[in-house]
Amino acid sequence: MTKLVHVERCDGIAIVRIQNSPVNALSAQVRGDLYNALQSLSKEEAIVGIVLAGSGRGFSGGADIGEFGGPAGSFRAGEDPARVTALIEEIDKPVVAAIHGFALGGGLELAMGCHARVASAQARLGLPEISLGVIPGAGGTQRLPRLVGVSKALEMMLSGRPINGKEAALIGLVELVVDDDPVSSAIRLIKNRQAGDGVGHATRFMQVPGAGKDNQAEIEKARSRATSMGAKSKAALKVIECVAASVGQSFDEGMALEREAFSQCLESPESAALRHVFFAERAAGKLDTPGASGVGKISTVGVVGGGTMGRGIAMSFANAGIPVRLLELTEQKANTAVEAIRLEYQRQMDRGKLKAAEAAGRSALIQAARNEGEIGLCDLVVEAVFEDMQIKLEMAQRLGRACRDGAIIASNTSTLDIDRLAQASGRPADFVGLHFFSPANIMRLVEVVRGKGTSANTLATVVEVVKRIAKVPVITGVCWGFVGNRMLEPYLREVESLLLEGASPSQIDHAIEGFGMAMGPCRMMDLAGVDVVAKVVEEQAKEGRLPEDPLYRIVSRHLASVGRHGQKTGEGFYRYEGRVAADDVDTHSLVQAMAARHDVKQRQDISSEEIVERCMLPLINEGYRLLAEGIASRSSDIDVVWLTGYGFPQALGGPMYHGERLGAAHLLKRLSHYGSTQGNIWNYWTPAAMLAAHAGGNP
Ligand code: COA
């Protein structure tokens, strides 16, 4: 037997274990080995029953996603993924799945093909294929409705969310839930079977429960939900079609439909993008520099600054069970921030998002610090004070003195020079940037900024803790704005140029949201605060970082100077009635006057295509510069930053993936087009050297 499937025989029962570390993915080889093992066991007279289990962390994480994108059709060219379950259903001995850890996707489909299932209470069972833009392809769409009914099956497949063993038992997905080892319970289940009890149920022969008319109503309800599922809509509609077949057609007809629908989804650009996102997120936290001799343990965290950012950061750690001390200018201010956090947890509890005990537990983990000495005892201290170099320099210096030996000091700056701050701390090896995004307790992205002197151990330790608090760490080098904000700059520059040329805020936002961004740039600036946005530009001006272009981002700077600070003041790019934004004649007049003053010719013919291209091309171009400079080490890291921090559409896989799909030659052609229509005085349309090189090699 190969090493990927291990068979053990014990007292007439065979235990077949999948052994494909790290998650027992069902690669073609695993499926082949399983088939052979089961077939030969079915013929062994001494074997009266078979337990199917996984080794290591779980039962199985499903189909090997890496095989989906291989050479054309490589996944389908292998044997039919449903072949193993078809065989199990034919075996005249009980085959029982023993599920621990997780049974996801193809893993759960395999279990559903068994004659019975035993799961540990904490195991996670689900069909998350929708997150990858595909549908279950090994019988899941046919067996799940038969086991749990149409409504629950649709809910599980359309949300992709796993349920635990206890819930699985409640809805009939598993026959038995246990607190201890499911394998021994599965053995007992087989042994306890009375002679003549048969082999258990082959799911394929079951009828989908529920009245036809109720099932039809559920299917219709799901159809209307599926159309608004963005990148996942296509797969969602296919899931629904297959579930409808499970009700109205034979098992074999349903399987044929599922196979065809799975192939169509697999070949869709949305699925390719979502698979890219899956692997990009997992690659993002990988350290590309060896040298870390060990990952330090972070048991306590200090947060300096109790503003919106500081509070969100404190909650992020407490949510993962890590105690936090929060320091403010005075103890009273620290108490106020801690109280505000308690109220936020209370609010989450009131809205049913947290249980009372969880809210109380998390609140209790965050305490006000009385002085720097208390903060200095923590393993990691994150400063989230006002974004001003002088203030941050002073704080770095103070923390360098106050923090105990071996502690890590992090700055939550979104743009400032980490190397200068590290130097000020006097402890560059212990210093790192941790750029959380607002609201920090919700947003998953953290840019981990590695300074020149940041030690390998410091980096490895913070990456580990960022993952522990369920966020996505992306390692970047030091430059203004790191990856995200540096790319945001040329994007917003073009937004403001388009406004000057006559596009309205809603026209721009509509085009960009049509492209798929979660929020248009004008609404985004209004929400962030136009004053805050403008200050970032002014700070760059002070440092001599801006081109000498007199029009550079003058719209936001002017709006800020006349007090139009966005949603919080009721007017910014838009005018607000509560949260509802509407184009405003005053903004229009202000921008028109600015354009006239600077001889910018306004036009009526700005199309959505132009808006999208002019905003996206410079952004992607900047991404190539970041790669060439080594600020980002993988283009997929840039994608993760924009997907998780800026609402870039998942269906497009991130700006770099999208750019690659458009092709370097195309990008170059369009940059050159805008270089000639817009003029290229400030080199805005000059292609990055790396992009030009790509296009050279890819005519
Ligand atoms: N196919 C191929 N590789 C997979 C995989 C799969 N189905 N599931 C996980 N992996 C890989 C990851 O890429 C990662 O590889 P790396 O270490 O080289 O980066 C490794 O397994 C560990 O995965 P990770 O997600 O980091 O571990 P985790 O403990 O946080 O979560 C799972 C484990 C199984 C819950 C999670 O990986 C998961 O949800 N996987 C996808 C399940 C799925 O969608 N299955 C249906 C496929 S159609």
Side-chain angles (χ1 to χ4, degrees), residues 31 67-68 71-81 259-260 262-264 266-267:
R31 297 196 305 273
E67 286 184 352
F68 285 1
S74 73
F75 185 73
R76 282 172 300 135
E79 73 338 296
D80 177 359
R259 205 159 23 250
E260 181 53 31
F262 174 79
S263 304
Q264 286 173 9
L266 191 61
E267 282 158 16

Coordinates of all heavy atoms in Angstrom, one line a residue, residues 31 67-68 71-81 259-260 262-264 266-267:
R31 N -7.2 9.4 -4.2 CA -8.5 8.8 -4.6 C -8.3 7.5 -5.3 O -9.0 6.5 -5.0 CB -9.2 9.7 -5.6 CG -9.7 11.1 -5.1 CD -10.7 11.8 -5.9 NE -10.3 12.0 -7.3 CZ -9.6 13.0 -7.8 NH1 -9.2 14.0 -6.9 NH2 -9.2 13.1 -9.0
E67 N -4.8 20.9 -7.9 CA -5.0 20.1 -9.2 C -6.1 20.8 -10.1 O -6.2 20.4 -11.2 CB -5.5 18.7 -8.8 CG -4.4 17.8 -8.3 CD -4.8 16.4 -8.1 OE1 -6.0 16.1 -8.2 OE2 -4.0 15.5 -7.7
F68 N -6.8 21.7 -9.5 CA -7.9 22.3 -10.3 C -7.3 23.2 -11.5 O -7.9 23.3 -12.5 CB -8.7 23.3 -9.5 CG -9.7 22.6 -8.5 CD1 -9.7 21.2 -8.5 CD2 -10.5 23.3 -7.7 CE1 -10.6 20.6 -7.6 CE2 -11.4 22.7 -6.9 CZ -11.4 21.3 -6.8
P71 N -2.8 21.6 -16.1 CA -2.9 21.6 -17.5 C -4.4 21.3 -17.9 O -5.0 20.5 -17.2 CB -2.0 20.5 -18.0 CG -1.2 20.1 -16.9 CD -1.8 20.6 -15.6
A72 N -4.9 21.9 -19.0 CA -6.3 21.9 -19.3 C -6.9 20.5 -19.0 O -6.5 19.5 -19.4 CB -6.4 22.1 -20.8
G73 N -7.9 20.6 -18.1 CA -8.7 19.4 -17.8 C -8.0 18.4 -17.0 O -8.5 17.2 -16.9
S74 N -6.8 18.7 -16.4 CA -6.1 17.6 -15.7 C -6.9 17.0 -14.6 O -6.8 15.9 -14.3 CB -4.8 18.1 -15.2 OG -5.0 19.0 -14.1
F75 N -7.8 17.9 -14.0 CA -8.6 17.4 -12.9 C -9.6 16.3 -13.4 O -9.7 15.2 -12.8 CB -9.3 18.5 -12.2 CG -10.0 18.0 -10.9 CD1 -9.3 17.7 -9.8 CD2 -11.4 17.9 -11.0 CE1 -10.0 17.3 -8.7 CE2 -12.1 17.5 -9.8 CZ -11.4 17.1 -8.7
R76 N -10.2 16.7 -14.5 CA -11.2 15.8 -15.0 C -10.6 14.6 -15.7 O -11.2 13.6 -15.9 CB -12.2 16.6 -15.9 CG -13.2 17.4 -15.0 CD -14.0 18.3 -15.9 NE -13.1 19.2 -16.6 CZ -13.2 19.5 -17.9 NH1 -14.1 18.9 -18.6 NH2 -12.4 20.3 -18.5
A77 N -9.4 14.8 -16.2 CA -8.8 13.7 -17.0 C -8.5 12.5 -16.1 O -8.5 11.4 -16.5 CB -7.5 14.2 -17.7
G78 N -8.3 12.8 -14.8 CA -8.1 11.7 -13.8 C -9.4 10.9 -13.7 O -10.4 11.2 -14.3
E79 N -9.4 10.0 -12.8 CA -10.6 9.2 -12.7 C -11.7 10.1 -12.0 O -11.4 11.1 -11.4 CB -10.4 7.9 -12.0 CG -10.1 7.7 -10.6 CD -9.5 8.8 -9.8 OE1 -8.4 9.3 -10.1 OE2 -10.2 9.3 -8.8
D80 N -12.9 9.7 -12.2 CA -14.1 10.4 -11.7 C -14.0 10.5 -10.2 O -13.9 9.5 -9.5 CB -15.3 9.6 -12.2 CG -16.6 10.2 -11.6 OD1 -16.5 11.3 -11.0 OD2 -17.7 9.7 -11.9
P81 N -14.0 11.8 -9.7 CA -13.9 11.9 -8.2 C -15.1 11.2 -7.5 O -14.9 10.8 -6.3 CB -14.0 13.4 -8.0 CG -14.4 14.0 -9.2 CD -14.1 13.0 -10.3
R259 N -21.8 16.8 -12.5 CA -20.5 16.7 -13.1 C -20.3 17.8 -14.2 O -19.3 18.4 -14.3 CB -20.4 15.3 -13.8 CG -19.0 14.9 -13.9 CD -18.8 13.4 -14.0 NE -19.9 12.6 -14.5 CZ -20.6 11.7 -13.8 NH1 -20.3 11.6 -12.5 NH2 -21.6 11.0 -14.3
E260 N -21.4 18.0 -15.0 CA -21.3 19.0 -16.0 C -21.2 20.4 -15.5 O -20.3 21.2 -15.9 CB -22.5 18.9 -16.9 CG -22.6 19.8 -18.1 CD -21.4 19.8 -19.0 OE1 -20.8 18.7 -19.1 OE2 -21.0 20.8 -19.6
F262 N -20.1 21.3 -12.5 CA -18.8 21.4 -11.8 C -17.7 21.8 -12.9 O -16.9 22.7 -12.7 CB -18.4 20.1 -11.1 CG -17.0 20.1 -10.5 CD1 -16.8 20.8 -9.3 CD2 -15.9 19.5 -11.2 CE1 -15.5 20.8 -8.8 CE2 -14.6 19.6 -10.7 CZ -14.4 20.2 -9.5
S263 N -17.7 21.1 -14.0 CA -16.7 21.4 -15.0 C -16.8 22.9 -15.5 O -15.9 23.6 -15.7 CB -16.9 20.5 -16.3 OG -16.8 19.2 -15.8
Q264 N -18.1 23.3 -15.7 CA -18.3 24.7 -16.2 C -17.8 25.7 -15.2 O -17.2 26.6 -15.6 CB -19.8 24.9 -16.5 CG -20.3 24.2 -17.7 CD -21.8 24.3 -17.9 OE1 -22.5 25.0 -17.1 NE2 -22.4 23.6 -18.8
L266 N -15.5 25.2 -12.9 CA -14.0 25.1 -12.8 C -13.3 25.9 -13.9 O -12.3 26.5 -13.7 CB -13.6 23.6 -12.9 CG -12.2 23.2 -12.6 CD1 -11.9 23.6 -11.1 CD2 -12.0 21.7 -12.8
E267 N -14.0 25.9 -15.1 CA -13.3 26.7 -16.2 C -13.7 28.2 -16.2 O -13.2 28.9 -17.0 CB -13.8 26.1 -17.5 CG -13.1 24.8 -17.8 CD -13.8 23.9 -18.8 OE1 -14.8 24.4 -19.5 OE2 -13.5 22.7 -18.8

